[in-house]
Amino acid sequence: MEKAINRQRVLLDHLRPSSPFSSPPPPPPHSYESSSVSASACLAGDSASYQRGSVFDDDVVIVAAYRTPFSKAKRGMLKDTRADDLIVPVLKAVIEKTNGVVDPAEVGDIVVGTVLAKGDDRACNLRMSAFYAGFPETVPLRTVNRQCSSGLQAVADVAAAIKAGFYDIGIGAGVETMTTDPMATDINRNPKVQIFPKAADCLLPMGITSENVAERFGVTRKEQDQAAVDSHRKAAAATAAGKFKDEIIPVATKIVDPKTGEEKPIIVSVDDGIRPDTSLAFTAVGVDPAVMGVGPVAAIPAAVKSAGLELDNINLFEINEAFGSQFVYCQKKLGLDPEKINVNGGAMAIGHPLGATGARCVATLLHEMKRRGRDCRFGVISMCIGTGMGAAAVLERGDVVDDLRNVNTAM
């Protein structure tokens, strides 16, 4: 325990700002009624009022965020790479790049979001991946499936476990290969689904639900095409500027020629689905037929409210582009500044391997927040989830400490 406390002290020293801020004393009971601070638009309630001091005693801190390159399904450079081989270089990088802060033997759990593969097979193979990466047998591993938010759910599960005191260090991850584990349609369903309309709607093809969003909320084809063009343009610009280099771990693997069967060793270090020359004259966009939904419209305000913040406090948004209709609708409905959303492109350009998307969004957001410095304090990640759900998370830079409060005046 003493070793863990010392390690935490070292981490917190790294995160403290150069000029310390003093925390104000908490306001006396019932003083909010007379406060001159206006009520929060989020109406989070006094218990969720955002109050940040210079003490990090109960914080859960993300010390590393990495990912592999993303690749086109069936045609990309990673088409012949197993999911359990994809995760190994990332797990190794977490240990190597944290300069000894993360001792593999002290990791309390590895939680991996994954969707399509048979649960017991994927869990077994990923457990073996931890051994390939150098983790001892004492470190457990489990998988989690909340469809498109699985990678983010893994991060949230680890944060919650640390907060609860179950362990001090954990790893949240996500993995998927859309080539070897395509979305299944022949699953045996309970016949009673036909008498429950909401249950039956869970089985709608994702492309159909995307069309429903476009029709119901008036999202035009031109708007969707423009969103795809913008995503590719921003992702291509970010790649050219080297913005993804810090978050991407190169993967040494092989690629098989489909005609000759010849295997060729390769190193994949960039996303291969981005098309820099995409224009509105080009109608086929790189969107995986994954999920659609308006989940972020409900999830983002709820997460921001839970953090005691307002949407205007958020500096960057990383919203999964499952479909053009869904992404455009969420942006318009929430009234978000386009300059704050997916500034390095999104899934329409980079790709959407279901279980890995949430973890990819975490890595991309955190590295962009780091590049932007202390003025970029809060970031939000969100995505829609198949069967009609949404997920969102608010992340904060650990080196920004002041007395920001969104006090909600009692009514």
Side-chain angles (χ1 to χ4, degrees):
M1 179 60 70
E2 183 178 353
K3 185 177 180 181
I5 293 174
N6 289 335
R7 181 179 60 249
Q8 184 183 44
R9 186 177 296 113
V10 172
L11 280 172
L12 299 183
D13 285 341
H14 284 303
L15 292 170
R16 293 184 192 279
S18 55
S19 57
F21 294 86
S22 58
S23 301
H30 310 299
S31 66
Y32 291 152
E33 286 81 355
S34 60
S35 172
S36 60
V37 181
S38 61
S40 166
C42 288
L43 298 177
D46 294 337
S47 63
S49 298
Y50 190 85
Q51 179 177 348
R52 184 60 138 132
S54 59
V55 179
F56 293 85
D57 291 343
D58 64 346
D59 278 357
V60 177
V61 181
I62 298 176
V63 299
Y66 302 108
R67 67 176 177 96
T68 69
F70 274 28
S71 177
K72 291 178 286 189
K74 301 186 185 300
R75 296 177 292 122
M77 301 298 284
L78 295 174
K79 69 180 180 65
D80 300 307
T81 305
R82 295 171 54 96
D84 42 316
D85 286 331
L86 275 174
I87 200 171
V88 171
V90 178
L91 290 177
K92 285 183 176 179
V94 169
I95 304 303
E96 295 168 358
K97 290 181 175 291
T98 53
N99 298 319
V101 171
V102 178
D103 181 345
E106 295 183 4
V107 172
D109 201 1
I110 300 174
V111 184
V112 185
T114 188
V115 178
L116 297 177
K118 186 179 177 181
D120 53 349
D121 286 347
R122 180 55 53 83
C124 179
N125 289 334
L126 292 179
R127 166 71 165 152
M128 292 187 285
S129 292
F131 295 137
Y132 306 152
F135 286 82
E137 62 183 18
T138 54
V139 177
L141 181 147
R142 68 176 174 89
T143 59
V144 60
N145 182 353
R146 199 190 285 273
Q147 302 199 46
C148 294
S149 70
S150 298
L152 181 58
Q153 186 66 57
V155 174
D157 284 1
V158 169
I162 293 174
K163 195 82 169 179
F166 294 157
Y167 47 78
D168 296 322
I169 298 174
I171 295 176
V175 67
E176 204 77 72
T177 167
M178 306 296 285
T179 299
T180 58
D181 300 313
M183 298 179 71
T185 58
D186 58 351
I187 299 174
N188 184 28
R189 305 291 184 187
N190 191 324
K192 73 169 62 174
V193 70
Q194 300 303 327
I195 62 174
F196 290 89
K198 289 295 182 184
D201 284 349
C202 293
L203 302 179
L204 284 174
M206 295 299 102
I208 297 300
T209 61
S210 177
E211 293 300 317
N212 290 343
V213 169
E215 180 179 358
R216 183 179 302 179
F217 301 109
V219 181
T220 67
R221 174 59 185 266
K222 184 177 180 180
E223 288 177 311
Q224 296 177 59
D225 286 348
Q226 186 62 58
V229 169
D230 292 343
S231 183
H232 281 275
R233 174 184 54 79
K234 290 186 288 187
T239 300
K243 289 187 175 181
F244 293 136
K245 286 185 177 179
D246 288 342
E247 69 186 70
I248 290 180
I249 303 301
V251 176
T253 185
K254 66 179 180 182
I255 189 166
V256 180
D257 187 312
K259 295 181 179 179
T260 66
E262 179 184 0
E263 295 185 2
K264 177 183 177 181
I266 58 172
I267 296 178
V268 185
S269 58
V270 296
D271 304 311
D272 68 19
I274 302 169
R275 296 189 293 268
D277 57 351
T278 299
S279 67
L280 287 173
F282 191 73
T283 58
V285 298
V287 182
D288 288 329
V291 307
M292 170 305 305
V294 297
V297 170
I300 289 176
V304 172
K305 172 182 175 180
S306 179
L309 300 172
E310 300 177 1
L311 286 177
D312 288 344
N313 295 130
I314 307 303
N315 306 109
L316 283 177
F317 294 85
E318 194 72 29
I319 300 178
N320 185 41
E321 300 168 353
F323 287 93
S325 61
Q326 159 262 334
F327 174 72
V328 171
Y329 169 73
C330 292
Q331 176 180 322
K332 291 169 63 177
K333 180 66 175 178
L334 293 174
L336 302 180
D337 182 354
E339 297 298 317
K340 292 183 176 181
I341 306 172
N342 296 5
V343 296
N344 295 318
M348 286 188 283
I350 299 171
H352 176 30
L354 309 186
T357 287
R360 195 279 298 171
C361 288
V362 170
T364 299
L365 179 69
L366 289 180
H367 283 276
E368 183 61 29
M369 291 174 68
K370 180 180 179 181
R371 272 190 296 272
R372 296 189 174 211
R374 292 168 62 87
D375 289 338
C376 188
R377 179 172 181 178
F378 297 106
V380 163
I381 297 160
S382 187
M383 66 281 294
C384 59
I385 307 171
T387 70
M389 296 181 284
V394 180
L395 301 181
E396 179 191 14
R397 287 180 62 96
D399 58 351
V400 179
V401 181
D402 61 22
D403 304 325
L404 173 65
R405 295 185 187 182
N406 289 325
V407 179
N408 301 291
T409 305
M411 303 299 290

